[in-house]
Structure formats: structure tokens, C-alpha cells
Amino acid sequence: MNKKLLAKEAGSVTSLILIILVLTIPFLGIGLGDLLNPVGGVWNGMLYAEYPEVMVIDQSGYSGVVYRDELAIPHIFTARSVDLGYIVGYLQAYDRLFSIDMQRRQISGWLSEILGAGTNNANLESDKLMRLFGFRRLATELWNQMLIEAKTDPEMKEIVDVFIAYSAGVNRFIADCLPNKLPLEYVYLGLQPINWHPIDTLTLAKYMSFALCYNDVDLDMTILAEKFGKNVTVELVPNGPYDFEDVVIPNFTHPDNTTDGNPYQSLDLSLELDSKSLNDDGSFLTAAAEQAIAIKSITNKFDETLKNMITDGCSNNWVVNGSLTDTGYPILCGDPHLPLMVPSIWWCMHAVNTSNPEESFYGVSFPGTPIIQIGFNQKVAWSATVTAVDVTDFYYEIHNGTHYLWNNSYTAEWRPLNKTTEIINVKNSAPVSFDLLCTKHDLNEMDDFWCPIIPSDLSGDFHSLTNISIKSTYMMPNSGILKFFMKMPRAQNVTDYLNALEPYAYPGQNFIFADIAGNIALYPKAFYPIRNATGTQFDDDNNYRGRYIMNGSTGKDEWTGYIPFEWIPHKVNPDQMYLASANQRTVNTTEYPYYMGYAFEEGYRGMRINMLIREKISAAEKISVEDMKDFQHDVYDIAASVFIPELLDAAEQFYGGLTTNLLNDTLEELIWWNNSANSMQYQMFRNLSAPTIFDHWLNDYQNLTFSNEWIDNGIYGEARYPQTMCLQNLTINDKSSKWFNLTGNAGENATYIMLKALNETIEDLTKELGNIVSQWNWSRVHIMKIEYLQGFMPAFDYPTYGCDGSRRTLNVAGQNSKGEVKNGPSERMIVDFAKLVSGDLYPALLTIPSGQNGNPASSHYSDIFQYWKNYDYPQSLFPRNISAYPTNLIYSRVYFS
Amino acid sequence: MNKLARIKEWYLKDDWWHFIIGLTLIYMLGLILELTGLWWTMIIAAAIGGAIIKHGGKAIIAGFVGVFFVWGSYFLSFLSLGYSNPFLFINFLNLIGSVIGINGGVLIFISLLIGGLVGVIGSVNAAYLAQIIIKITLKEEIETKKSLSIKTK
């Protein structure tokens, strides 16, 4: 045998093994061989980025035609709603499969399964939180109930069929991708997409509802009440509006008190308190506050993990009647403020029912759902903002780990807790089990759902259980939200709108509306709980039940029903000829008998839009679409118009003309900004220094005013400071308020704190931005940061840029502690009814801060964003039927059969 | 001489026809096997070609060139993926460049080199293995002939 040959063979076998090893060992999370392979490798990143001129999806059992326009917005022509569902599923998956798949996994609590427990167990904690709040569990319950209802209710049957068709559409795309045409992210993570199910869509609906229903301000109130007394919390966070505020529904006249909806009518309850339950006295408050602090670490985590996706769920919308516009027809505007990310939280679409020419609608949809949430059709338009009404309560439970004390209408009893165990699979590790204990507060028969007890940490064993359970309307197994969104795109008039609204249960939304007959309306709709088991909505201290942690064992704090539909504050064709909402207080409490809540958003945006429209009315000027664009981009800060004159007065009194150079420069900048002859007065423009000084100063002023009282009482991050409107009220009306006293020395008042804050601001800004005041541009500390899939791959983020606005301006742009703006107008829409009536091809303007396609290589990755960024709008192409679609605007066709 | 023996006789030769047929086989099989999306199937394609070529040096060339062109053909086909956007491939290469800091064109070149290398290890292994097998079977034949000649004596 030739030794030389054997040596050669040995060498080549060794190199074979070596090369196989090198190409298989994971590098960047994936083997080099898999990564660079032309088929199924990194090059898959080019798939689905663009659209072929013609695509045929055959043997699907569904039929329809799709034209994509220049911005890749699909125009879908189908004869049946199930066809539409299937096609939307396929197209959304084509554009956004990875992002909807990841979102589904995240909110279902399945992250650890694919990504492992994560650094500091971040993924595992996220999974536990998702399961604690139970979106998937609730969605499964709802789906099972829908299947039963569908047997008798044709309306529900249609919804179920559409959801099933939508899932089939997504799954068809997934099947077409397998095994080696998967989008790049799957290649990178070595992951396979799992099939879509209608429960996934419902999980998303439950999650979004939760995000818009939930806040934990009741905990803050309980902590503050225990430290300062309940009356002080009412002073700092009042139930009613300030006199300078504009409420969402002004001058609401509710139905006669003698009707069934009388809020003072009570259930016939004869309550017998069990000796074990805590009475509503000081000892209860102390115990509740202690528990509030115990669960704050969890709810704060919640803010970090989840609210990151939904922070400051706030928005604007407004509509003006034809009598105020230059065309004589209404104009409706809406810009929901949600996380700014790429791909966008929204996906644009237009659908035409070829069997019913009256049915054609255009709008934006949350990818993962087959329906549009905001939009317009040939006759009506609608948009939504969060109501921020109190629909979430925390109960203090007396329980022993297996039973909880429950007081029903007549007697107290120990009821068993509902115990379930969630199994969380963890990649490369053993599964983790997470126990959940739930109580039920079903005095009212509609409340037949489980309320989870919140643990004080997420280790998941029983020892860490607290006494606090959470009850929120999003937990109801109610499908009103689906019925609403199925009906609304087909609504023809204001009656249809009101009918669609009636079953809508959660989350609370100010639904603004207009139709071509000239009607305008605003309905803050949800199921709003009434807590009057004792015959009144007030507790023993004469405070609204619902503001603080409530007593779960006495029966006194139970929900007894929901505010009847006609009693919910709303307006149809108001005398003022316009309507507007910006998450501010819904109604004036002195005009309205029901408790609705107290933790609303700051009223500044609401005040500003009212101010802008009233200015037009008083100047007898007609409002045009161009004006509406300006309003949506308005960055006038009302808080600046209040605080800057106060600050300058204080400086004038205190310093006269004797100041240091730096202080002098700063004041001069503010004096220039304060000048009413200046067109930039109080405008939060990116190229000015004054907004930087003002925003920083306001923060310092608020800190200085409240931090000492908070720290003296041992409150560190557990309760937030009162809102800016509270500070405004104190500054204007009570300059010598005790809150302005820092050290106990006489003479410490608002003036003193304002100037002290200014000194701190100048010191901070000098450190951060140098000592030339004119270079303290707002754009340097107020940065628009739009990330690809929450920072999944920073190279794909949009380039950052300094931006206009503040958290108080209509064109909202609140920054986090790093100065990054990650939340804002997630969509801007203006519907011109004159053009709807005339049958114009472009009746509306609509923009989103992204593109339709989530693939960074796509030419549609940021095309619509360019409009958004430059305060511009693409026109919405709205052909009423397929023959009206201009053939030169067809960029891609898809045929389904 | 029967058919099988003729094929065997042809197979045992070492000329440029073997190289051309081997290379063509690598390329054709490679194109088909690449559809599976499994990079190591290139080893199989190259090995089949290499087993026909047998000559170590020629097998190295054929393995490298064959798989290099299989992957190259796929890269070329990406140009048509752009549909309405003819610049998609170039955009994508730039994007890749911005992520890993390597120019996209360089990455393609690296991919092709790696593809070629995979081809080489496949073909050269098969070629040497073929030589060894031939040696072993021929040795038996020689020994048989020897023993036969002893018997006739």
C-alpha cells in the first residue's frame, strides 16, 4: 500500500473534519456555513423586501385581488369578509412576519423558550409578568366562549370565521417560507415560525386592552394617603378639574335621575363584617400602604418591561363641524401616541367589498389583527384616544394561601382561591413553574372572572405572595371590542356608530366621529365600574371608592355594575361645533354624578387644541386642512406660557439687574422667548435654547418642590410627584404653600424655589452642554430615537435626530431620562369630508413613522416615515371600486384563488 | 468485453474528460442540492465529482471551481429579487456592511471562497478515497493473476 497516498488521505480527512467543525460552530449565534449559504443564509434578508409585479397565491380557498400602491399600501378587493381576513393575514405576514411572531411570543410569555432566561433573568421575568396578567389565558377563555356564541349568533359567527381565515392567511405565508425561505431574523436566531391561531390575535387584543386600561396610581394614592392623609392626596391629585382645564365632554347633561341608571340607586345589601376582615380605619390604610410598597417593585418592573412598549398611552383627536370649515363639511383629525418603532405599530390598508359597493374602508391595523382600528370609509371617519378612566382596582385580600375571605350580599365566607401552575420552558435549561393564585369579585354577575394575586417578587413560590389582587375590566370575557371593530368600518351614519359602540367594553377610548351628513360626535366608551355596594360611591372618609387600594373582604368596595350607556358622558353635535380629546379629564365632576377616575393625563394638550380652535372661531376664520396639519404639528407649550412669566417675575424681583453673565444670558434667552411679538413664543423648536432651559427647569422646580416632603416621609420611588398642573395651581394661587418650604426657614416660597431651580438648571446645563447659552439647542438633549424591534439590531434603527416638541405639546415628544424620544404620534390622520362627499380619489391624509415593510433592505422600510419626519403627509388613495383604481398607480398585483 | 467492464476500464483512466465530466457533475448536482438550503450538501456534490476525477490536483480545482460557481449562480439570481427595486441587492450589501463592518461585496467573495473550500474538501477526499479503493481492488486482481500463473506452471 502506497504510504504517501494514505498520508494524503489522512490529511484531507482531517481538513474535512476541521472545516465542517469551523462552519458548524456557532458564530454570531449561527454557524458560518448556515450564515453564508446562498439559500437559507443571511441572503434571505432580501426575500420579501420588495414586491413582484405579479404574484399568484393559488389553491387557497379564498379569492381576491390586491394592488399595492407606490407606498406598498395594499388595496384589497374581495367579495367576502373571510376573503379579506385571509388576504390581510397573508399580506401582514409578508410585510411583518417576524415582528408579529415575536410580539405574540412576548405577550404570551414564551420569550425564554426561544431566547433563554436572558441577562438577569430579564426574559424569564417578562414571561412571568405576562402570565401573571394572563393575556393568553384570558384570550383562550374568550375564544372558547366565542365558539359557543357563534353557534347561535350570526354576527359572532362572522367574527370567528374572519379570525380563522386570517390565521389561515398567515399560516399560508409561513408554509410558503418553509423550509429555507424564512426571513433573515429566523435564520439569525435559528428559529422556526409557529403557526398562527385566532387565540394569538385575541392575546394581542387583551394585551393592548390591558396596556390602555392599566395604571397603578391607586398604589401611589394609598402610600401618600398613609403618609399625608387622604385630604392631602385630594389636594395634590384632585378628583375634579382645575378651573383652567378643558374637559373632554364639557356641559354634559345626563339623563333624568329617575331612570334606571340612577347612580344613587343601590343594591339591597345587608353587610355583615367578618371579625377577621380589616375595618376601613387607619389600620387598614397602614396595612394597604405596606402592601402597596411591597408590590411596587413588581409594578415598576411592569412599567419597565411592558410600558416600554406602551408608555404614556396618550393621544389626540378632534373634529370640527362644517360650520367652522372653509368647505362647509367636517374635518376629522387623529394622532394616537404610542411607541415609535420600526416597523411601526400600525400597518395601513384599504379594503373594498366587491359585492357591496357601499363597503370600502381605509385605515390602520395593528399587525396581528385582521381589522382596522382607526380609519374612514365612504361616509364616516373615526379615531381614538385613551380615556384614562379608572377601570383597574387593587384589592386587599385576607387569605391563607388556599382560601380568601369573601363577603357576598349577606354573609362572609371563606372561598377557595383558584390555583393554576404555569410552566415556562427555558431554552438550554429546565422548565420553570410559576404558581398563580386568583380571587373572584363577582358580586355583579358580569364580573365572573379571576383576579390574580400579585407576588412581591417573581420567584413564584407562595411565600412571596402579597395580599393584593388586581381587578380590571380587560379581564372580562367580553367580545364587545371585536364587535365594535367589525361594525365600525361598515358604519354609514351616526346611528350605526352609536349601535357599534354600545357593546364595547374595554379599553376605555374617546371615539371621535364624523359623517358626511355633517354630524360630529365624541363618546368616551368602555364599561365603567360603579362601586356603590354601600349605597354610595364614597367610603367612610368621604373619598371615592376606587382611588385607593380597596378592601376585598368586607364587600363594601365591590363593583355593583357599570355606568349605563346613555349615562356615559358624550356629545353628539354640540353647540360649540367642535369636539376634542387628549386623554384629559373626561367630565366636570360637579356636573356628573358618577365617579370616573382621577389619574388622567395632564390637560395641556387638551387645553391647546381647544385654544387653537377657539382662536379661529373668535377671529371668524374658517378652518382648513392646512390649519389642521399645523395643529397636528403644533409645539406650543402651554406650561411655558404659565411658568415662564412667573419665573421672569421672580427673577426681576430678586435680582433686579445684578446677575452673573451666565444667569444674565439665560434670562435674556427666556425674555426673548417670552416676548409676545415673537413668532416663536413658547414654541418647543429644536433649534432654540429656551426650550432646553424651560424643560430642564420645570423638572428641577418640580423636584425641589416635592422631593423633601417625599424623602422626609420615607417615600423614595414608590409614589410619583403630582402632575405639572398641580404645580401650576400652587404656583399661581398659593405661592407660600407649605410644599414650597424646603428647610423650614421662613421666606421659602414659590419664588425662592423657582430661582433655586433655575440655578440648578444652569449648573446642570453648563456641565452638559458648555457655558454658551445660545448653543444649548433643544435638539442636543431631545433626540428622536426610533429603534428596530425594540433594539433587536441597532444597525437597523433609523438615524436619530434632534426633534421639536415636549411631553406637553400637541405634537407630543416626551423624552426619557436619557433625552430619547421613543413615544409620539404613531399615526397622523386628517379626513376631509368635503372630498369624501365629492368622491375625490384622495379624501384623506395619513402618515405613520415607518414604512409598510419591516425588512431593513426594503425601499418601503422608511418611505412613509420620511413624510412623517418632515411634517408632511402622503395622500390616501381611496378608489371606491376596482375600476376606479388608476392603472398607472399599480406597483404590484397579487391574485388569490 | 461486457458493458460493465468497459465502464470500469474507462473509469480507471485518468484524462481531461474525467475532469470535465466531474466538474459538470459537481455544478449540476450542486445547483440541485443547494435548493435544500443545507450548505454541507455541497460536500456530497463535490465528492461525487471528485470520485470520478480521482486525480488529487484536478479534484481540488474541480471542487473549488464547481461549488464556487454554484454559489455564484445563486448570488447572481438575487439580482432578480429586487422586482420594483433593482437596487435591492446593493442596498442589502450595504446594510450587511453596516451591521458587521465588512463591505457586502467582500462578504460575497468570502462566501464564495468558503463555498469553494467546502467543494475542495469534498472532492479531494473522494478522489483519494477512490485511489485507495482502486489500489486495494487492483492489488487483489494482481494477486489473483499471480496465483493463477503459479497454478498454470
Side-chain angles (χ1 to χ4, degrees):
Chain A
M1 192 73 181
N2 191 335
K3 276 187 186 167
K4 208 172 154 192
L5 181 62
L6 279 178
K8 275 183 185 172
E9 176 59 18
S12 65
V13 169
T14 318
S15 57
L16 175 79
I17 294 166
L18 261 177
I19 285 178
I20 290 180
L21 272 179
V22 167
L23 296 184
T24 322
I25 290 168
F27 162 79
L28 291 171
I30 173 178
L32 211 53
D34 284 333
L35 189 76
L36 297 177
N37 191 12
V39 173
V42 64
W43 317 100
N44 271 21
M46 275 177 289
L47 300 172
Y48 323 116
E50 302 293 340
Y51 306 94
E53 254 170 54
V54 178
M55 237 167 103
V56 178
I57 311 297
D58 53 5
Q59 293 172 341
S60 69
Y62 299 88
S63 62
V65 179
V66 180
Y67 294 161
R68 294 242 189 200
D69 65 21
E70 197 179 359
L71 296 169
I73 295 170
H75 301 261
I76 307 165
F77 302 90
T78 57
R80 302 177 302 166
S81 53
V82 284
D83 294 331
L84 179 62
Y86 183 87
I87 293 175
V88 170
Y90 188 90
L91 297 179
Q92 281 185 359
Y94 190 100
D95 286 350
R96 308 273 183 92
L97 178 64
F98 183 72
S99 75
I100 62 174
D101 187 14
M102 280 308 280
Q103 190 174 31
R104 174 244 320 246
R105 292 179 200 249
Q106 189 173 5
I107 62 185
S108 298
W110 297 343
L111 269 192
S112 308
E113 190 172 336
I114 51 165
L115 302 177
T119 24
N120 299 328
N121 280 340
N123 296 337
L124 195 56
E125 284 194 350
S126 162
D127 286 348
K128 285 181 174 177
L129 282 172
M130 297 298 177
R131 301 206 187 197
L132 175 66
F133 290 90
F135 310 121
R136 191 157 198 94
R137 199 169 54 245
L138 295 168
T140 312
E141 277 170 26
L142 181 56
W143 178 244
N144 291 336
Q145 189 191 307
M146 284 165 68
L147 289 177
I148 295 166
E149 279 177 37
K151 286 177 187 155
T152 51
D153 177 5
E155 192 186 342
M156 185 53 73
K157 173 92 171 58
E158 190 191 11
I159 296 175
V160 165
D161 288 346
V162 168
F163 273 46
I164 291 171
Y166 174 84
S167 305
V170 176
N171 295 339
R172 170 64 186 261
F173 179 76
I174 292 174
D176 288 354
C177 286
L178 291 172
N180 52 35
K181 284 187 190 162
L182 286 168
L184 178 60
E185 296 90 343
Y186 290 99
V187 176
Y188 176 74
L189 292 175
L191 196 67
Q192 294 270 319
I194 36 180
N195 269 353
W196 196 264
H197 188 278
I199 291 175
D200 296 322
T201 302
L202 292 176
T203 306
L204 180 63
K206 283 287 180 187
Y207 169 74
M208 286 307 295
S209 303
F210 159 82
L212 301 170
C213 277
Y214 171 85
N215 71 52
D216 64 356
V217 192
D218 290 0
L219 304 179
D220 295 37
M221 287 302 110
T222 307
I223 294 166
L224 294 181
E226 201 264 329
K227 305 287 184 190
F228 300 119
K230 283 188 178 172
N231 53 337
V232 175
T233 72
V234 176
E235 181 196 330
L236 295 176
V237 186
N239 290 309
Y242 293 104
D243 53 6
F244 51 82
E245 251 185 288
D246 285 298
V247 294
V248 174
I249 305 293
N251 314 314
F252 177 61
T253 41
H254 49 78
D256 193 330
N257 265 7
T258 56
T259 62
D260 289 344
N262 184 346
Y264 303 112
Q265 180 189 324
S266 140
L267 295 183
D268 180 19
L269 296 179
S270 42
L271 295 162
E272 282 180 28
L273 287 188
D274 191 282
S275 59
K276 291 172 199 68
S277 73
L278 285 168
N279 225 329
D280 284 353
D281 55 15
S283 64
F284 173 76
L285 194 57
T286 309
E290 200 177 287
Q291 295 285 314
I293 291 170
I295 62 166
K296 261 287 171 168
S297 64
I298 299 294
T299 55
N300 284 347
K301 208 160 270 166
F302 210 68
D303 279 4
E304 286 160 30
T305 319
L306 306 181
K307 286 258 183 161
N308 226 355
M309 294 154 72
I310 44 129
T311 34
D312 307 330
C314 56
S315 316
N316 305 322
N317 61 27
W318 60 85
V319 63
V320 295
N321 179 294
S323 64
L324 300 182
T325 64
D326 57 350
T327 59
Y329 287 97
I331 303 175
L332 181 138
C333 304
D335 52 309
H337 306 160
L338 288 164
L340 301 175
M341 52 193 188
V342 52
S344 163
I345 204 160
W346 296 110
W347 184 79
C348 308
M349 62 177 270
H350 169 216
V352 177
N353 184 343
T354 50
S355 62
N356 179 0
E358 295 297 306
E359 247 182 71
S360 167
F361 55 85
Y362 193 116
V364 284
S365 158
F366 286 123
T369 69
I371 33 193
I372 62 167
Q373 283 80 30
I374 287 174
F376 61 91
N377 64 26
Q378 287 141 306
K379 296 195 173 154
V380 313
W382 75 100
S383 185
T385 67
V386 175
T387 59
V389 165
D390 189 358
V391 292
T392 298
D393 279 335
F394 295 86
Y395 280 105
Y396 186 99
E397 309 280 7
I398 306 282
H399 72 87
N400 59 10
T402 57
H403 289 75
Y404 69 105
L405 190 61
W406 162 253
N407 209 319
N408 74 2
S409 310
Y410 301 103
T411 49
E413 59 173 314
W414 287 94
R415 273 178 156 189
L417 289 163
N418 181 43
K419 184 187 166 190
T420 49
T421 303
E422 297 271 339
I423 305 292
I424 302 171
N425 294 323
V426 184
K427 190 185 175 191
N428 303 329
S429 183
V432 172
S433 70
F434 180 59
D435 289 323
L436 272 175
L437 284 181
C438 299
T439 61
K440 193 177 268 187
H441 289 262
D442 54 348
L443 189 63
N444 173 24
E445 62 181 19
M446 286 167 77
D447 295 351
D448 186 11
F449 54 82
W450 294 103
C451 311
I453 292 180
I454 300 177
S456 64
D457 67 64
L458 291 173
S459 65
D461 58 27
F462 288 107
H463 307 294
S464 65
L465 274 183
T466 63
N467 290 84
I468 305 291
S469 70
I470 179 172
K471 177 177 181 180
S472 180
T473 52
Y474 84 88
M475 298 170 183
M476 300 174 88
N478 184 302
S479 53
I481 180 173
L482 309 174
K483 289 182 177 165
F484 173 78
F485 286 120
M486 282 297 278
K487 276 183 185 164
M488 203 52 218
R490 302 166 178 174
Q492 300 289 304
N493 49 47
V494 70
T495 319
D496 289 352
Y497 156 78
L498 293 174
N499 286 341
L501 274 175
E502 192 160 355
Y504 181 90
Y506 58 79
Q509 296 279 317
N510 297 304
F511 283 110
I512 204 147
F513 172 89
D515 67 16
I516 54 168
N519 297 304
I520 61 170
L522 177 54
Y523 221 118
K525 185 62 174 76
F527 280 8
Y528 301 118
I530 307 172
R531 306 154 180 93
N532 68 345
T534 56
T536 152
Q537 304 180 97
F538 299 98
D539 63 16
D540 299 345
D541 305 326
N542 209 25
N543 276 287
Y544 281 119
R545 296 187 186 278
R547 254 184 84 98
Y548 308 93
I549 289 180
M550 303 204 295
N551 199 326
S553 57
T554 62
K556 290 180 176 180
D557 284 333
E558 298 305 320
W559 296 3
T560 50
Y562 295 92
I563 300 179
F565 184 55
E566 320 76 56
W567 277 78
I568 295 171
H570 62 277
K571 282 278 171 186
V572 179
N573 295 327
D575 296 337
Q576 63 177 16
M577 299 298 173
Y578 72 91
L579 288 161
S581 82
N583 325 99
Q584 79 273 37
R585 208 170 292 281
T586 308
V587 69
N588 194 334
T589 33
T590 56
E591 295 167 353
Y592 188 63
Y594 285 108
Y595 163 73
M596 291 195 79
Y598 62 96
F600 296 91
E601 283 290 323
E602 301 263 20
Y604 293 115
R605 284 177 296 114
M607 287 153 72
R608 178 60 180 163
I609 184 59
N610 273 280
M611 182 199 243
L612 284 167
I613 296 174
R614 280 184 206 138
E615 272 173 9
K616 286 280 178 188
I617 295 173
S618 58
E621 281 176 24
K622 295 293 184 186
I623 300 172
S624 66
V625 168
E626 288 304 312
D627 293 326
M628 292 302 196
K629 288 185 187 173
D630 293 343
F631 293 175
Q632 284 194 335
H633 306 137
D634 183 82
V635 289
Y636 180 96
D637 196 325
I638 291 203
S641 75
V642 175
F643 286 103
I644 291 291
E646 292 287 336
L647 173 63
L648 291 175
D649 274 357
E652 178 69 31
Q653 276 173 36
F654 192 81
Y655 297 117
L658 295 168
T659 63
T660 62
N661 285 341
L662 203 56
L663 182 58
N664 208 35
D665 290 352
T666 310
L667 286 172
E668 266 178 19
E669 189 71 34
L670 293 178
I671 289 166
W672 171 83
W673 203 44
N674 190 44
N675 184 350
S676 60
N678 183 349
S679 63
M680 296 188 201
Q681 192 192 25
Y682 311 134
Q683 299 283 351
M684 299 294 279
F685 286 140
R686 68 189 108 172
N687 55 351
L688 301 181
S689 303
T692 317
I693 303 165
F694 169 65
D695 197 81
H696 200 288
W697 170 82
L698 187 60
N699 211 15
D700 285 347
Y701 180 39
Q702 192 169 27
N703 267 326
L704 277 176
T705 306
F706 297 109
S707 61
N708 56 321
E709 283 86 358
W710 256 238
I711 291 167
D712 289 350
N713 283 286
I715 311 171
Y716 294 95
E718 296 89 354
R720 282 155 274 219
Y721 295 142
Q723 290 183 319
T724 312
M725 288 195 303
C726 167
L727 192 61
Q728 171 177 345
N729 189 45
L730 291 171
T731 308
I732 305 295
N733 298 324
D734 191 7
K735 286 206 173 50
S736 49
S737 158
K738 64 173 179 179
W739 300 102
F740 293 123
N741 201 307
L742 262 188
T743 55
N745 292 336
E748 288 182 350
N749 54 16
T751 309
Y752 170 77
I753 304 279
M754 279 194 272
L755 295 176
K756 192 172 163 60
L758 186 62
N759 279 327
E760 284 189 4
T761 299
I762 293 173
E763 205 172 298
D764 289 352
L765 289 178
T766 312
K767 262 187 217 152
E768 199 183 338
L769 303 172
N771 55 8
I772 302 168
V773 175
S774 60
Q775 292 178 357
W776 292 352
N777 285 355
W778 187 218
S779 62
R780 293 174 65 188
V781 290
H782 191 244
I783 313 290
M784 183 65 73
K785 187 168 171 68
I786 301 183
E787 291 177 319
Y788 174 67
L789 296 175
Q790 296 175 278
F792 179 73
M793 184 81 85
F796 298 159
D797 295 353
Y798 287 165
T800 57
Y801 62 96
C803 62
D804 303 325
S806 75
R807 66 183 79 250
R808 298 165 297 274
T809 56
L810 266 186
N811 182 10
V812 80
Q815 76 276 31
N816 63 17
S817 56
K818 290 183 214 152
E820 296 163 341
V821 178
K822 290 181 166 183
N823 193 292
S826 60
E827 179 242 7
R828 294 189 184 111
M829 178 178 81
I830 302 174
V831 182
D832 182 355
F833 276 78
K835 289 186 174 173
L836 265 190
V837 170
S838 69
D840 196 290
L841 197 56
Y842 300 100
L845 304 170
L846 197 154
T847 173
I848 56 173
S850 160
Q852 284 287 86
N853 195 307
N855 185 328
S858 173
S859 58
H860 301 289
Y861 185 60
S862 63
D863 51 353
I864 309 180
F865 166 70
Q866 296 306 329
Y867 287 92
W868 184 92
K869 181 186 174 189
N870 297 320
Y871 296 155
D872 198 357
Y873 302 77
Q875 298 196 35
S876 303
L877 176 64
F878 188 63
R880 309 311 199 258
N881 53 55
I882 196 162
S883 55
Y885 195 107
T887 46
N888 60 327
L889 298 178
I890 303 174
Y891 285 78
S892 162
R893 296 165 208 254
V894 195
Y895 296 96
F896 287 82
S897 61
Chain B
M1 219 181 335
N2 63 27
K3 215 174 185 180
L4 201 71
R6 275 217 299 274
I7 292 173
K8 192 177 164 188
E9 194 191 352
W10 179 84
Y11 176 69
L12 287 173
K13 280 185 198 161
D14 176 13
D15 59 24
W16 282 104
W17 278 112
H18 286 74
F19 174 77
I20 291 165
I21 290 169
L23 178 59
T24 315
L25 260 177
I26 293 175
Y27 182 70
M28 303 297 276
L29 280 173
L31 282 182
I32 295 164
L33 288 174
E34 179 59 29
L35 285 173
T36 62
L38 304 168
W39 64 270
W40 49 262
T41 55
M42 293 305 102
I43 298 179
I44 298 172
I48 292 170
I52 286 171
I53 296 168
K54 299 185 301 296
H55 182 279
K58 285 179 187 162
I60 287 175
I61 295 169
F64 187 87
V65 173
V67 179
F68 187 96
F69 277 96
V70 170
W71 283 20
S73 306
Y74 275 91
F75 285 130
L76 270 179
S77 75
F78 293 155
L79 288 174
S80 68
L81 273 178
Y83 310 121
S84 53
N85 175 14
F87 303 108
L88 172 65
F89 194 30
I90 292 156
N91 284 355
F92 183 73
L93 291 181
N94 291 335
L95 202 68
I96 291 289
S98 69
V99 176
I100 58 171
I102 299 174
N103 180 303
V106 174
L107 193 71
I108 288 200
F109 190 67
I110 293 172
S111 303
L112 291 174
L113 282 184
I114 286 180
L117 210 59
V118 169
V120 168
I121 54 163
S123 57
V124 84
N125 264 292
Y128 288 140
L129 202 63
Q131 285 186 31
I132 291 171
I133 291 168
I134 289 168
K135 287 261 159 69
I136 292 169
T137 46
L138 282 187
K139 197 176 163 190
E140 276 171 10
E141 267 179 32
I142 292 161
E143 276 168 5
T144 329
K145 277 177 187 166
K146 270 183 189 169
S147 62
L148 281 174
S149 64
I150 290 165
K151 271 181 188 171
T152 44
K153 273 180 185 174

